[in-house]
Amino acid sequence: MLSLGEWAVTDDPTRELVCLGLGSCVAFCAHDQATGVAGMAHMVLPDSTNGKPGGAQGKFVDLAIPLVLKEMEALGATRSKMKIHLAGGAQMLHGASFTDTMMIGKRNAAAAHQVLKELGLRISSEDTGGESGRTVRLAVASGQLDVSTAQGRLAKAAA
Amino acid sequence: MNDSTLAPWADLVSLGTRHAMAGLSEMIGQDISVSSFALKRVAVAELADVVGGADTEAVGIYLTVSGAANGHLMLIYDPIIAYAFVDLLMGQPPETTTELDEMGRSALGEMGNIIGAFFLNAIADATGLELSPSPPAVMTDMAGALLDVVTADILMRQDDTYLAETTFSTSERQIEGQFMVIPSEEFLEALLESVKAA
């Protein structure tokens, strides 16, 4: 389970990488089927150049993605063969008084696109934007991604 | 910033909280007692644990503070507690509210208005700083998602924050609520500066 600014890379097939309750945060998920290496980052802010240096590097989109990719390669994964997913980046707040804060989700997703484009990597699936928080689970063995929302959970419980 | 420099901050938040509870008490026409008050330094990444975990469903009432300094006020509740508040605010028998409709949302928003205004007025009076609350946003979602509204801003500058936690209950009904005040470092500095100057 990854809290804000944390990332993890593993080839342990019994594990699942999880980000719980993402709002404006974005989860970067990557999986290499051939080597069974998976990585995930719980990213909070788009750009490290706007924040104070130091502290948790994983909180910034522009730093977290290269970090995860590098650690996955160290475990034998091949960048070009990875399936990459993005989830999160919701807009939690509405109203004229919240304009600055409410853009964070969108900016996080946009920053992830930019970073991946610069690295020449394609996004396999994406579930970003909207107005709901998400929980994201990546099964290390299969590479299967599961994204759920609070509403989705309620609907399932009622069915 | 060490714990001793925080003493004036704890006093201010405690003062503001007492006023906020008095305002709420006036609004609902019942006495409110504060059962605990704590000021803690917590890692921003661990804030969600304070409210029962990042994917626990919760209702959040959120206001930003602006003026002489910026900060965040967040009331965050288990949905059952939020429904109890709606009943209390609207003068309904307990357990009338079972989901949050537009009416309930606006009642909780009004509660956020009152608490925010009383809290900030008390601090403004004590420090001479001009502080004003934004209109409240009422949200229902996973706690982690609600907190992102606050944490993204705080994490831009720091990895830790000071969390003021208040537990309170009304005389007639046992409703325990949490009132979280999450200041930015800049907000704390402005407050502490004004206390020194006074």
Side-chain angles (χ1 to χ4, degrees):
Chain A
M1 213 187 72
L2 307 174
S3 65
L4 296 115
E6 288 184 335
W7 74 94
V9 167
T10 180
D11 58 1
D12 177 352
T14 64
R15 279 187 69 188
E16 187 181 50
L17 298 176
V18 183
C19 284
L20 297 177
L22 298 168
S24 56
C25 291
V26 169
F28 167 72
C29 318
H31 185 262
D32 178 21
Q33 194 63 56
T35 53
V37 176
M40 188 183 275
H42 184 160
M43 310 180 295
V44 188
L45 294 162
D47 187 358
S48 60
T49 53
N50 286 330
K52 264 192 192 167
Q57 295 188 315
K59 66 189 176 188
F60 299 109
V61 171
D62 61 330
L63 299 180
I65 292 178
L67 267 169
V68 170
L69 292 172
K70 221 167 130 193
E71 288 191 14
M72 287 178 72
E73 283 173 329
L75 284 182
T78 311
R79 206 173 270 220
S80 60
K81 292 196 177 138
M82 291 178 194
K83 278 223 157 37
I84 288 168
H85 314 276
L86 295 176
Q91 180 176 313
M92 302 304 299
L93 282 172
H94 304 272
S97 50
F98 300 118
T99 32
D100 278 359
T101 346
M102 72 188 221
M103 294 304 290
I104 284 276
K106 214 175 266 180
R107 282 167 49 210
N108 281 335
H113 275 265
Q114 183 61 32
V115 169
L116 291 168
K117 194 178 155 198
E118 279 166 17
L119 294 168
L121 296 172
R122 206 173 61 83
I123 299 167
S124 302
S125 84
E126 179 171 4
D127 183 3
T128 61
E131 297 167 6
S132 302
R134 295 171 174 89
T135 283
V136 181
R137 298 171 189 277
L138 177 66
V140 175
S142 63
Q144 197 178 330
L145 189 77
D146 178 66
V147 182
S148 60
T149 61
Q151 284 90 334
R153 230 163 21 194
L154 287 177
K156 228 182 249 177
Chain B
M1 223 173 278
N2 60 38
D3 289 347
S4 66
T5 58
L6 277 180
W9 161 241
D11 290 345
L12 279 175
V13 177
S14 167
L15 171 82
T17 303
R18 281 202 309 277
H19 279 257
M21 294 305 131
L24 184 60
S25 169
E26 233 171 81
M27 185 185 181
I28 61 175
Q30 285 188 33
D31 285 339
I32 288 178
S33 59
V34 172
S35 34
S36 75
F37 174 78
L39 190 73
K40 305 178 194 166
R41 185 185 176 110
V42 292
V44 175
E46 284 160 20
L47 270 177
D49 297 336
V50 178
V51 292
D55 78 335
T56 317
E57 208 191 335
V59 176
I61 308 168
Y62 170 73
L63 299 94
T64 56
V65 181
S66 58
N70 298 315
H72 307 268
L73 300 178
M74 174 87 93
L75 296 129
I76 193 156
Y77 305 108
D78 184 294
I80 302 293
I81 306 279
Y83 303 157
F85 268 121
V86 173
D87 289 336
L88 195 62
L89 292 162
M90 296 176 64
Q92 297 170 156
E95 292 175 40
T96 306
T97 302
T98 53
E99 62 180 340
L100 212 53
D101 56 11
E102 217 28 67
M103 204 62 159
R105 244 171 245 283
S106 92
L108 291 178
E110 200 45 46
M111 176 171 135
N113 270 332
I114 297 285
I115 289 183
F118 274 72
F119 178 84
L120 290 178
N121 283 346
I123 291 192
D125 285 347
T127 60
L129 294 174
E130 228 170 275
L131 300 166
S132 50
S134 70
V138 179
M139 307 172 277
T140 308
D141 211 309
M142 303 172 186
L146 300 181
L147 283 168
D148 271 2
V149 165
V150 175
T151 49
D153 180 55
I154 300 280
L155 279 175
M156 217 176 287
R157 291 168 213 96
Q158 64 213 59
D159 289 329
D160 288 341
T161 190
Y162 297 95
L163 171 71
E165 252 188 300
T166 307
T167 315
F168 56 93
S169 54
T170 64
S171 51
E172 288 174 26
R173 295 181 202 179
Q174 274 306 312
I175 301 179
E176 298 238 313
Q178 266 185 341
F179 175 44
M180 298 166 53
V181 183
I182 304 164
S184 61
E185 198 92 353
E186 168 214 345
F187 185 73
L188 270 184
E189 276 162 14
L191 285 186
L192 296 176
E193 208 46 52
S194 71
V195 172
K196 244 187 273 166

